[in-house]
């Protein structure tokens, strides 16, 4: 296998290094944290300049979409390694086009993603402010695990019957919720239900094909399918896949998430399958 890969590309491809991959996820997480802090600072600056909430949301969304568009340009201009044969080049360019299409979709979505953020209480603090005391430090609303679990339980088309579920309800809930960013906490239970309604047919198919009693499940795999907290995991898989993977790798066994990712077929696949 390694010899064939060397022939096609003209140079050996690096082997998968799990430590390097975890480092990549850590660096992505750092960039995400810094982006949140910087975005909040921009919102406060716009508010201090008298920019209304809707216009501020539009400005920030367009800046973020522009950053994704820049990544699209970099990817689109990439070329196959020098000396690669025609078949390898064809595969390379097909992969580049697929990634570029995904980035375009992300840019289109990002351009309208931040509606309502500027109006949140946290972002209305003045740009110039005395050093806050601990009592004055603004806090984001905390997620209520019971409320999220109840929201998931209200979507029976996604759930296995109570007596057939592999794990006690909520066994993976804390790990899943830790991939929900603080600014997403407000109204998350409602958004989770909206996600389940939007993907109802897909969730029904997932439960039928991989849930308890299915042939794949009979081999001891796909244990997360049919669990209520799995709705949170799937929503995060679509919304924040890198954050979910980084959180999961720190807390749970990879095989559970890898199986679910394979069965769900997300737009961005992070497992090595």
């Amino acid at each position: 296998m390694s010899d064939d890969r060397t022939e096609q590309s003209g140079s050996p491809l690096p082997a998968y290094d799990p430590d390097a991959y975890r480092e990549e996820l850590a660096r992505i997480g750092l960039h995400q944290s810094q982006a949140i802090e910087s975005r909040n600072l921009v919102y406060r600056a716009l508010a201090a300049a008298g920019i209304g909430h809707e216009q501020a949301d539009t400005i920030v969304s367009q800046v973020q979409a522009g950053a994704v568009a820049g990544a699209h340009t970099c990817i689109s201009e990439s070329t196959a390694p020098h000396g690669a044969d025609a078949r390898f080049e064809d595969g390379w360019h097909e992969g580049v086009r697929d990634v570029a299409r995904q980035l375009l979709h992300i840019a289109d979505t990002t351009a309208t993603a931040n509606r309502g953020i500027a109006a949140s209480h946290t972002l209305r603090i003045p740009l110039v402010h005395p050093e806050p005391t601990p009592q004055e430090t603004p806090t984001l609303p905390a997620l209520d695990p019971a409320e999220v679990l109840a929201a998931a339980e209200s979507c029976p088309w996604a759930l296995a019957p109570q007596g057939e579920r592999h794990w006690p309800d909520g066994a993976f809930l804390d790990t899943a919720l830790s991939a929900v960013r603080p600014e997403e906490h407000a109204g998350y239970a409602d958004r989770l239900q909206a996600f389940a309604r939007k993907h109802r047919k897909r969730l029904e198919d997932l439960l039928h094909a991989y849930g308890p009693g299915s042939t794949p499940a009979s081999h001891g795999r796909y244990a997360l399918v049919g669990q209520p907290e799995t709705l949170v995991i799937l929503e995060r898989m679509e919304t924040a896949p890198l954050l979910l993977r980084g959180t999961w790798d720190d807390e749970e066994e990879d095989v559970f998430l890898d199986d679910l990712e394979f069965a769900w077929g997300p737009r961005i696949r992070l497992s090595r399958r």
Side-chain angles (χ1 to χ4, degrees):
M1 176 65 73
S2 60
D3 291 341
D4 292 340
R5 292 166 69 188
T6 300
E7 277 184 15
Q8 290 178 347
S9 65
S11 59
L13 297 178
Y16 169 60
D17 182 346
D19 292 332
Y21 182 59
R22 282 191 289 270
E23 182 183 347
E24 287 179 18
L25 293 177
R27 288 164 59 191
I28 286 293
L30 175 62
H31 287 311
Q32 289 175 327
S33 298
Q34 291 175 336
I36 291 170
E37 295 175 2
S38 298
R39 185 183 66 180
N40 290 350
L41 178 62
V42 170
Y43 271 124
R44 294 197 294 271
L46 292 173
I51 303 297
H53 294 154
E54 291 186 6
Q55 187 178 0
D57 284 334
T58 298
I59 290 171
V60 172
S61 294
Q62 288 176 346
V63 170
Q64 292 176 323
V68 179
H72 178 281
T73 299
C74 291
I75 291 295
S76 299
E77 293 177 350
S78 65
T79 58
H82 178 70
D85 67 20
R87 289 178 301 170
F88 186 88
E89 286 190 354
D90 289 344
W92 178 282
H93 293 305
E94 182 179 348
V96 166
R97 286 193 297 272
D98 185 52
V99 173
R101 282 191 294 268
Q102 292 187 24
L103 286 172
L104 176 58
H105 173 76
I106 293 171
D108 289 340
T109 304
T110 302
T112 58
N114 290 322
R115 298 299 175 257
I117 298 295
S120 68
H121 173 74
T122 305
L123 301 175
R124 291 203 299 268
I125 61 176
L127 182 64
V128 179
H129 195 279
E131 187 70 24
T133 65
Q135 293 77 19
E136 294 173 332
T137 302
T139 57
L140 289 166
L143 277 173
D144 182 352
E147 180 185 10
V148 174
L149 201 61
E153 289 280 10
S154 71
C155 307
W157 57 86
L159 307 180
Q162 185 79 33
E164 297 180 13
R165 298 173 190 174
H166 188 84
W167 304 98
D169 292 351
F172 294 85
L173 185 61
D174 288 345
T175 302
L177 291 180
S178 64
V180 181
R181 303 181 185 94
E183 71 269 22
E184 297 176 297
H185 287 184
Y188 180 74
D190 292 335
R191 293 198 300 277
L192 182 65
Q193 290 177 314
F195 171 85
R197 290 193 296 269
K198 177 181 177 181
H199 296 284
R200 177 167 182 162
K201 178 61 166 59
R202 193 174 172 189
L203 288 164
E204 289 174 339
D205 292 344
L206 177 71
L207 183 62
H208 176 74
Y210 294 95
S214 68
T215 299
S218 68
H219 299 293
R221 305 293 294 269
Y222 306 97
L224 285 175
V225 177
Q227 296 284 134
E229 66 268 28
T230 295
L231 273 181
V232 180
I233 299 171
L234 293 173
E235 187 276 330
R236 290 290 89 189
M237 194 178 287
E238 291 291 326
T239 305
L242 286 170
L243 183 57
L244 173 65
R245 176 60 70 171
T247 300
W248 193 275
D249 286 348
D250 290 339
E251 302 291 339
E252 310 289 355
E253 292 185 38
D254 287 348
V255 65
F256 297 132
L257 188 61
D258 290 349
D259 279 352
L260 185 62
E261 185 183 77
F262 176 80
W264 181 249
R267 182 164 41 83
I268 299 176
R269 190 183 294 278
L270 294 178
S271 74
R272 311 303 296 186
R273 295 177 67 157

